[in-house]
Amino acid sequence: MIVILLGAPGSGKGSISNYLKEKHGFIHISTGDLFRKTVAQDTPLANKLKQIMLSGKLVDDDTTNEVVRQELLKINNPQAHIIFDGYPRNVNQLEYLNKLTKIDYAIDVQVDKAEIMKRITGRRVCPVCKEIYNIYYKKPKVENTCDKDGSLLTQRNDDQESVVVERYKTYMSLNEPLIKACQDLKIYHTIKNDRLDNAIKQVKDICNLQ
Ligand code: AMP
């Protein structure tokens, strides 16, 4: 089963993906995570990506599509359940993925705009297991420390307010045609993510997961 998650930055795509990975054995492909890994290296590509990501703009489609193609080659299993988080971000990427593999569900994770800033600026991530926390809504038991493996939590550079505003603008400018293209493919569904457990229940209903 191939699921793609659409939705604004901070809509909870990462948390939903983590759940599907842990409880239902999905392979999680997050282009944002893949780019952050690349940025951590000291290469010309890393420096280029860093600039783009800190401007809140998107990495070009050829680079992004190639990264995804490589991930699918590594998995090399037509039966795998895969959740794409943050990809595709525009119609070009959707068309590319749709040629590589059949997409079963596109789930648009909707959250009020007012809520987004608090979610993103409060977000903290475990660099080891990728568990996502929030200093307002989902505090770790010990301040700034991952409950699962004790790692020191980090904040993404692009979760600063000024970058988030740009990321949201980028998302809004591409969202409508992407939704329309998913509707044309008859894979489009929406869910409301007011609370994570509600969102997960809706995802499970759409994908017929027990
Ligand atoms: P995310 O973690 O999905 O919010 O992605 C963080 C940043 O990585 C984005 O603001 C983009 O600069 C870049 N990025 C992630 N996914 C994509 C994508 N599908 N297409 C282009 N750029 C992306």
Side-chain angles (χ1 to χ4, degrees), residues 126-131 133 145-153:
C126 172
V128 176
C129 73
K130 307 289 175 221
E131 185 69 14
Y133 297 87
T145 306
C146 180
D147 293 347
K148 291 188 173 170
D149 55 33
S151 304
L152 197 61
L153 302 181

Side-chain angles (χ1 to χ4, degrees), residues 39-82:
V39 161
Q41 299 152 10
D42 187 18
T43 62
L45 175 64
N47 292 333
K48 183 181 129 189
L49 291 183
K50 198 188 253 171
Q51 298 307 320
I52 296 171
M53 291 170 82
L54 274 177
S55 71
K57 303 259 183 326
L58 292 188
V59 177
D60 65 276
D61 287 344
D62 286 349
T63 306
T64 307
N65 288 337
E66 180 57 18
V67 161
V68 168
R69 193 178 73 86
Q70 293 295 338
E71 286 302 299
L72 289 177
L73 279 178
K74 273 188 228 158
I75 296 168
N76 191 24
N77 175 6
Q79 309 303 325
H81 290 340
I82 303 176

Side-chain angles (χ1 to χ4, degrees), residues 4-7 13 29-32 64 84-89 93:
I4 62 177
L5 291 181
L6 316 181
K13 301 187 294 293
I29 298 184
S30 155
T31 39
T64 307
F84 285 94
D85 157 12
Y87 179 91
R89 284 276 227 281
Q93 294 180 5

